[in-house]
Amino acid sequence: MSTGDPAAAAPWTEAARARVALAYEACELSELARAAVAVGPDELRGDGTSTAPGSALADAVHLLAAAHRLLAAAAVYERAAGADWQVVGAALNVSAGAARQRFVAAEARFREGPRSPGDACDAAGTAVGAPEGWRSYLLREPLEAARDLDDWVLRHQDGDGDFGDAPVSGPLLRPTPPSGP
């Protein structure tokens, strides 16, 4: 992070950090889904059956786990952005109490963040291993993490929209208009 960069020095709100975490989880899910599309050169026998029975199911389990992390990160973001449990529950078609029960621990872990350099948390607040991991990085350096996600979006865009050159970090760095009369 550049010390001369005013955006780097600006405090990141909890909601902005949660949004970067949500973007990261979406990126991870996308990468896992993309990897499941291609058929590896040694994946199939001549009759079309798998050379590694159960591997497609294992990949789907990893994908489902990533989707659950994305869902938890979305709930954490919505809460950090001001949504109450009623709003979260309504989006999930469950009661506010059920939504709270499902995501309150993830929200608490996210707000707590890593307690030490070796205690990293993912976007949903789940403890993860290596302190040099992406999730720890995005909690320590949200602007740099957002810029890395900018690069990922720009490498993977398919012409569906003009995101500009900072599709993740740009909207998060826009100054908030003053409130009041």
Side-chain angles (χ1 to χ4, degrees):
M1 188 169 347
S2 169
T3 56
D5 185 350
W12 278 65
T13 66
E14 185 176 76
R17 284 187 320 107
R19 185 57 182 92
V20 174
L22 173 60
Y24 170 72
E25 294 300 343
C27 173
E28 283 289 296
L29 179 61
S30 177
E31 287 294 323
L32 286 169
R34 288 166 48 95
V37 174
V39 178
D42 299 323
E43 183 178 340
L44 302 177
R45 293 186 183 99
D47 64 358
T49 59
S50 176
T51 59
S55 62
L57 189 55
D59 290 346
V61 168
H62 291 295
L63 204 71
L64 183 58
H68 285 289
R69 288 191 304 272
L70 177 63
L71 181 62
V76 168
Y77 166 67
E78 291 292 350
R79 293 280 297 147
D84 62 20
W85 288 114
Q86 188 69 37
V87 170
V88 175
L92 297 169
N93 202 28
V94 299
S95 70
R100 183 182 185 286
Q101 183 177 8
R102 183 170 181 182
F103 298 113
V104 72
E107 179 184 29
R109 287 187 303 265
F110 175 81
R111 288 197 167 131
E112 191 176 284
R115 291 176 292 284
S116 69
D119 185 19
C121 294
D122 66 13
T126 305
V128 296
E132 66 276 3
W134 219 119
R135 293 171 176 100
S136 179
Y137 169 61
L138 76 88
L139 290 170
R140 275 190 337 271
E141 303 288 345
L143 178 60
E144 291 302 315
R147 288 182 174 157
D148 289 343
L149 289 165
D150 287 338
D151 293 341
W152 184 89
V153 170
L154 294 173
R155 279 193 320 274
H156 292 87
Q157 62 184 340
D158 56 8
D160 285 345
D162 180 19
F163 297 110
D165 60 353
V168 177
S169 66
L172 293 172
L173 296 175
R174 285 190 198 127
T176 305
S179 60

